[in-house]
Amino acid sequence: MSGDDQQLQSPDEASSSKGKGDPKASGAPAKPSRTQTQGVQLLNLGLKSAKVAAMLLVVWLIGYVGLSVTWVLIALVCYVVGNEYSRNRETKRAYAKQAVIDEQKAILARVDELPSWVYFPDVERAEWLNKMIQQMWPYIGDFVKNLLKTSVEAAVNANLPDKLKPFHFEKINLGNIPPRIGGVKVYIEKVKRDEILLDVEITYASDADMTVSVRGLNAGVKDILLHGTVRVVMRPLISQIPLVGGLTVFFLSQPKIDFDLTAAANFLDLPLLSTSLRTIISDQIANFLVLPNKLPIPLVENISLVELQFPLPAGVILLTIVEATELIRADVGMLSKGKSDPYCKIFVGGQSFTTAVIQNTITPVWNETFKVIIEHKQGQVVSIDVMDEDPGEDDELGTTSIDLEQVAKAGSIDSWFPLENVKSGRLHARVRWLYLSKSRDDIYKAKTCRGNDHHLPIAVLGVTVDSAKDLQSSKRSVSEPSPFVRLELGNHEEKTQVKQKTTHPRWEQSFRFFVADPDLQDLLVEVFDANNGNKKLGACKVPLRQLLNADNLTLYQPFPLKDAGSECSITLRLALLLLIPDKPKEVLDGREQVEENVSRPSEHETSAAEPSGKRSAASAETLVGEVSKHVIATASEIRSESNPDHASDHDDSSGLRYRGLNVPRDGRFGRIQISVRYSIQRSKFIVIVHKCLNLIPCDNDNLSDPYVRLVLLPDKSSKKKTQIKKNTLNPIFDETFDWSLSKADASSRVLELTVKNSVGLFSKSRVNMGLVHLNLSEIDDLSSAVTEWYDLQNPDEILKDS
């Protein structure tokens, strides 16, 4: 047995192993242990017998009083559901604890929950860190205990109503099981030069036990279970010790949380109340530590907490939930086939959105657009749950997810996504990525990007409420005010925290608003006193058009408050960020490491790249327009082709250099455009069939009814196919397919795509139109999306050779 195993042994285990190995230790020492075990078994048997007797007594009382047998059935159902719920929770908690104590044994016992470093080669183990945490855990427990008793307890008592005082911690025990680091992934590419990103998988399956007292009533929590991925942003990197100016810590998505309640709180541990309680606690954690909320930790002086907590976002997405089809029938119909009442729940980090409910259909159409600010695109996904509304608990109709890093590369995605965890169902969604610019020269580009849809914004307003000074308290009030700030822009409002009893409050909180027209909109700022019936202490109105004339569209200055005295003012930092489709110039100035993806050219740039005299203007414009919808124009993804008619390098007016797009050339059997990638989050290999060009005619009318069949060789049973497009030689599919397999398995496969013509039973028309074999082992990085055009080969020759 290794030293680590010996350290993790309990006293009973140690004595047991000693007794087995040492003859002198056997015999007498084992008898007390056996007696103790028998006593525990008798106690458990007595408790179970008492529960059964109590249940029989309740049933007898119901019969004695003459109540309906329905009450017995209801009680029985509640007991069974509650017992099963507790058993499942206990099983998960026991496994998590076992994984911390003996990871190898836990993994072998439950292979379906391997840590992330097993699946993903770029996720590294951190056993050295786990050993350090284990050694420091007793001291960490003492520190947390002192912090809760000295600081947290006093702060809670200061903010609690008098009816709930006094509050104090009766028991604080973090237990003997420390948190465990499952794996660490480090990002040093495609990030800013002065930062490092770390994704840390954390599992905390503790034996902690805490009890608090509120006005003499005790309530507690024990056996806390938490699992999630924490991102640590180390920024800025500096040239002096400790080399890192500050840390920003947050969860990328909602962590999984579970716990047991004790004492007076135990009555909340019923099935329905327990679910509601855990949802509330998860929401509170999301409001504190799940994106876009962050915990800033400055490590050196002169580092602004606001800059750490609210850096420039990566971009904004416009997510449109268009429609769904082939949904399962969740409701049961009496005289006809049942249908569903579907709606969508959308999650991006800690942000959530919900569509309207479409009644009684399995082909709902929503056409709802949501605007979402994205802080980090690396590792971020949009999770969409399709639900069926019911009077009780809603049923799940399937889930899907969209990788935001791929959206940023593509510029926009418009596709059908298959729903997972259900037999059938597809969701049609459009996602558009917009960059943020601080240049006033991009105001026209932002307005053009919006088009005629005036409901969409053209900018994001960042507001940092810094501080206020010389606030006036009410004449009737003797004490100082407890101020908070209310911000309003359009229909959106935000509030700061309340600062207790001060005339010079400092908030340092940031908020963001979407702006439809900065020339017409004003930001309303109001200061209220929370201790005096929310009495207004002052207000000011800031026209956003002032920002259009400011340097970098930013103002950082005090603004006088009206109706508050001549010396009263509030200091705000206002930054207007324009929404544009291309990466702005300031991102490409060398201070940030430029990602390899090249901005998608505008209509003017595309036409400039097309050489004249080789192709008619109309046909060139048509082809380039078709290609620019779906091509992910990255330097690593565009294959160089020696065709001067369709590819060229040029410089635009801004001095940015673009590589010319590879316009599909005419081939004998046509071409097909697809995107392939491996999704690490979903453990799926994904193929998007975009379109085909210049297919051969097979029918008598010189047209065809094409579709694409996909096979992941050598497994010929993994066949999938697109829908049939009638009477066309240039079909557009935009359909997504996926296979559940490991990344290593996917890299060893060959993707076969066969373009076929749909024919009748007795038709003599040609069936096979073209074929492509794509060896996935030849793709350098399968986890990054690769979008390419491929020439279709003669299927008859290939099939004959094979």
Side-chain angles (χ1 to χ4, degrees), residues 332-530:
V332 178
M334 298 297 295
L335 301 177
S336 61
K337 291 184 178 180
K339 294 188 178 180
S340 300
D341 304 321
Y343 68 96
C344 294
K345 294 169 64 176
I346 302 139
F347 302 93
V348 185
Q351 306 175 79
S352 60
F353 310 89
T354 305
T355 67
V357 178
I358 308 299
Q359 299 290 337
N360 199 29
T361 181
I362 58 173
T363 57
V365 177
W366 290 284
N367 277 324
E368 293 188 40
T369 299
F370 302 92
K371 308 175 289 290
V372 188
I373 298 174
I374 305 300
E375 304 289 338
H376 293 260
K377 58 187 176 184
Q378 292 93 346
Q380 274 281 84
V381 297
V382 178
S383 298
I384 305 174
D385 296 344
V386 184
M387 308 294 293
D388 169 47
E389 186 185 48
D390 283 327
E393 186 176 354
D394 295 346
D395 297 325
E396 187 174 284
L397 302 180
T399 63
T400 189
S401 61
I402 305 173
D403 191 337
L404 290 180
E405 193 169 2
Q406 305 306 326
V407 175
K409 288 182 179 181
S412 65
I413 291 178
D414 184 351
S415 185
W416 285 89
F417 298 92
L419 297 178
E420 301 176 4
N421 305 324
V422 288
K423 293 181 179 179
S424 66
R426 295 189 302 152
L427 179 71
H428 183 195
R430 288 194 296 265
V431 193
R432 186 181 182 190
W433 182 273
L434 297 176
Y435 290 95
L436 299 171
S437 172
K438 296 183 289 184
S439 173
R440 68 166 63 97
D441 297 334
D442 289 328
I443 183 66
Y444 176 75
K445 185 183 293 185
K447 292 182 178 180
T448 305
C449 175
R450 177 176 64 179
N452 296 325
D453 192 349
H454 296 286
H455 294 91
L456 298 180
I458 66 170
V460 172
L461 176 66
V463 181
T464 300
V465 182
D466 184 82
S467 59
K469 69 174 186 176
D470 297 328
L471 296 179
Q472 303 291 323
S473 58
S474 174
K475 296 181 179 179
R476 299 180 181 178
S477 178
V478 179
S479 63
E480 293 182 332
S482 297
F484 69 93
V485 179
R486 175 180 173 271
L487 306 171
E488 181 181 337
L489 182 63
N491 297 324
H492 185 192
E493 70 172 49
E494 296 283 358
K495 294 180 181 179
T496 67
Q497 297 175 349
V498 176
K499 295 299 178 180
Q500 297 292 333
K501 299 180 180 180
T502 176
T503 58
H504 295 78
R506 178 173 292 277
W507 292 281
E508 292 186 332
Q509 286 184 257
S510 293
F511 307 93
R512 296 192 177 105
F513 301 84
F514 285 105
V515 179
D517 193 340
D519 290 316
L520 302 177
Q521 291 184 278
D522 300 332
L523 175 67
L524 177 62
V525 184
E526 298 175 310
V527 185
F528 295 93
D529 182 5

Side-chain angles (χ1 to χ4, degrees), residues 1 4-20 25 29-30 32-34 36-37 101 176-177 207:
M1 181 181 292
D4 293 339
D5 293 335
Q6 292 176 355
Q7 291 178 3
L8 292 176
Q9 274 188 317
S10 64
D12 292 340
E13 291 172 339
S15 62
S16 177
S17 61
K18 183 177 179 181
K20 292 178 181 178
S33 176
R34 186 180 307 167
Q36 184 179 7
T37 303
I101 297 173
N176 299 318
I177 303 178
D207 54 348

Side-chain angles (χ1 to χ4, degrees), residues 782-794:
L782 201 58
S783 60
S784 298
V786 178
T787 301
E788 289 286 357
W789 284 96
Y790 296 94
D791 290 323
L792 294 173
Q793 306 299 320
N794 187 348

Side-chain angles (χ1 to χ4, degrees), residues 480-774:
E480 293 182 332
S482 297
F484 69 93
V485 179
R486 175 180 173 271
L487 306 171
E488 181 181 337
L489 182 63
N491 297 324
H492 185 192
E493 70 172 49
E494 296 283 358
K495 294 180 181 179
T496 67
Q497 297 175 349
V498 176
K499 295 299 178 180
Q500 297 292 333
K501 299 180 180 180
T502 176
T503 58
H504 295 78
R506 178 173 292 277
W507 292 281
E508 292 186 332
Q509 286 184 257
S510 293
F511 307 93
R512 296 192 177 105
F513 301 84
F514 285 105
V515 179
D517 193 340
D519 290 316
L520 302 177
Q521 291 184 278
D522 300 332
L523 175 67
L524 177 62
V525 184
E526 298 175 310
V527 185
F528 295 93
D529 182 5
N531 286 349
N532 193 19
N534 291 341
K535 178 180 175 59
K536 185 185 292 186
L537 301 178
C540 68
K541 186 176 289 187
V542 182
L544 298 188
R545 59 178 175 271
Q546 293 182 9
L547 296 169
L548 297 177
N549 299 321
D551 292 338
N552 293 325
L553 305 180
T554 302
L555 288 177
Y556 193 3
Q557 65 184 52
F559 294 87
L561 294 174
K562 296 181 179 180
D563 305 326
S566 58
E567 301 297 326
C568 296
S569 64
I570 183 169
T571 301
L572 304 173
R573 184 182 184 275
L574 307 176
L576 194 65
L577 304 171
L578 301 174
L579 300 178
I580 60 174
D582 304 321
K583 186 169 290 188
K585 299 177 184 178
E586 60 264 21
V587 178
L588 302 175
D589 63 357
R591 297 182 60 85
E592 176 180 358
Q593 179 171 333
V594 181
E595 298 181 17
E596 291 185 343
N597 55 312
V598 183
S599 300
R600 301 197 313 163
S602 64
E603 183 178 353
H604 171 72
E605 294 161 352
T606 307
S607 61
E610 188 72 15
S612 60
K614 301 294 183 181
R615 184 183 297 270
S616 66
S619 60
E621 182 179 357
T622 301
L623 282 175
V624 174
E626 288 292 325
V627 175
S628 62
K629 288 181 182 178
H630 306 285
V631 172
I632 304 173
T634 63
S636 62
E637 294 172 353
I638 298 179
R639 295 183 177 179
S640 58
E641 297 187 37
S642 57
N643 190 341
D645 293 344
H646 301 143
S648 63
D649 291 344
H650 67 284
D651 295 328
D652 68 353
S653 58
S654 64
L656 301 179
R657 185 174 178 83
Y658 296 96
R659 186 180 297 276
L661 293 174
N662 291 329
V663 180
R665 63 177 182 268
D666 294 333
R668 180 182 174 189
F669 292 91
R671 308 192 81 193
I672 185 172
Q673 186 195 37
I674 62 169
S675 295
V676 296
R677 72 178 179 94
Y678 185 82
S679 174
I680 296 178
Q681 290 86 356
R682 299 165 57 191
S683 297
K684 290 180 179 291
F685 173 65
I686 300 172
V687 178
I688 303 177
V689 180
H690 294 297
K691 67 182 73 174
C692 295
L693 281 181
N694 302 327
L695 298 179
I696 59 174
C698 298
D699 298 337
N700 295 331
D701 54 2
N702 288 327
L703 294 173
S704 300
D705 299 332
Y707 67 94
V708 181
R709 188 192 69 180
L710 302 89
V711 182
L712 207 54
L713 299 175
D715 183 11
K716 294 187 177 181
S717 63
S718 60
K719 295 180 181 179
K720 300 178 183 292
K721 67 178 182 178
T722 67
Q723 295 182 347
I724 300 171
K725 301 298 180 181
K726 295 289 187 179
N727 299 325
T728 179
L729 300 180
N730 300 288
I732 297 177
F733 300 101
D734 280 336
E735 295 187 43
T736 304
F737 305 91
D738 58 61
W739 290 263
S740 297
L741 68 168
S742 66
K743 185 177 180 181
D745 190 11
S747 300
S748 64
R749 300 293 191 96
V750 174
L751 177 63
E752 180 184 84
L753 300 109
T754 308
V755 182
K756 290 179 168 288
N757 179 35
S758 177
V759 298
L761 181 61
F762 301 103
S763 175
K764 296 182 179 180
S765 299
R766 182 187 180 109
V767 176
N768 295 320
M769 304 173 65
L771 185 142
V772 169
H773 280 153
L774 178 59

